[in-house]
Amino acid sequence: MFLKVNGQDVDVTLEDEKTVGDVLKSFEDAASQNEATTVGIVLDGENVSPDKFDSILSHPLEDKTALELTVLTKGQLVDSLRGISDRIATLSLEDIPVLLQGGKDKDVATMIDSLASECNDFFHTAAMTSLFPEVYGKLMIDGASFIDFFRDFLTILSDFKDAMEGNDTVTVGDLAEYEISPRLKSIRQAIATL
């Protein structure tokens, strides 16, 4: 059997493992002791999606079986969230109303593209905290769970998108300054507690 973890070959000595499921269970037990978990599996060159996971568990191990695992540690996840927090800090959404009034639509568009990218990264990364319950439990934003905060924030972002598409610069400016910007600060404060 061939095993790679995060792209690195790993020497593996099988004990009582007879199936891919046995190897995955042994590996996950060891990973959890090191505050890590498996987030991606490739078996014999084919990506294993979550809906196909159960079907590979009974796959027998052979000399040519190739298993590639992507592993995420709690530290990597927290570092990723902190990086997002640092990038969010560079967004000056409070300036959008002034920029719009000054005809600097291109600067506003660049800022909004950055906002969309950082929000997407944050929501994806924060969702992965569920893999580490102690991190997930700490990720309270304005007293709300990540899920509740996310649900509320999505509504505001949808209104923001509608205002942008409708060229409603007053609503765009108001949402940026009074709704989105404070929530980004709340995200940063929450991440700082991790």
Side-chain angles (χ1 to χ4, degrees), residues 74-135:
K74 182 171 83 170
Q76 290 170 323
L77 182 63
V78 171
D79 287 347
S80 185
L81 285 169
R82 287 184 179 144
I84 293 166
S85 177
D86 291 344
R87 292 189 304 273
I88 286 173
T90 67
L91 301 175
S92 301
L93 299 183
E94 300 91 350
D95 296 341
I96 285 180
V98 173
L99 292 170
L100 288 171
Q101 290 170 0
K104 299 194 176 194
D105 294 4
K106 191 172 184 178
D107 292 342
V108 171
T110 299
M111 196 177 295
I112 290 169
D113 284 345
S114 295
L115 170 67
S117 176
E118 295 309 330
C119 284
N120 184 51
D121 285 352
F122 171 70
F123 294 138
H124 173 74
T125 305
M128 293 185 80
T129 64
S130 64
L131 299 171
F132 300 96
E134 64 280 4
V135 176

Side-chain angles (χ1 to χ4, degrees), residues 137-192:
K138 284 184 180 179
L139 192 58
M140 298 293 289
I141 307 171
D142 282 341
S145 71
F146 160 68
I147 298 297
D148 291 338
F149 176 85
F150 176 74
R151 195 173 298 127
D152 175 61
F153 198 27
L154 269 182
T155 301
I156 290 162
L157 292 174
S158 178
D159 292 346
F160 187 72
K161 177 180 174 264
D162 292 344
M164 288 291 300
E165 289 173 352
N167 290 321
D168 182 352
T169 57
V170 172
T171 302
V172 166
D174 285 349
L175 287 172
E177 186 173 3
Y178 301 113
E179 297 293 338
I180 298 171
S181 188
R183 282 171 176 77
L184 294 178
K185 286 179 183 169
S186 295
I187 288 172
R188 292 190 64 229
Q189 290 169 348
I191 291 172

Side-chain angles (χ1 to χ4, degrees), residues 1-18:
M1 174 186 172
F2 302 99
L3 177 64
K4 281 189 177 188
V5 177
N6 292 343
Q8 301 293 317
D9 290 325
V10 175
D11 287 331
V12 64
T13 302
L14 298 176
E15 293 176 6
D16 296 326
E17 294 87 2
K18 304 282 188 236

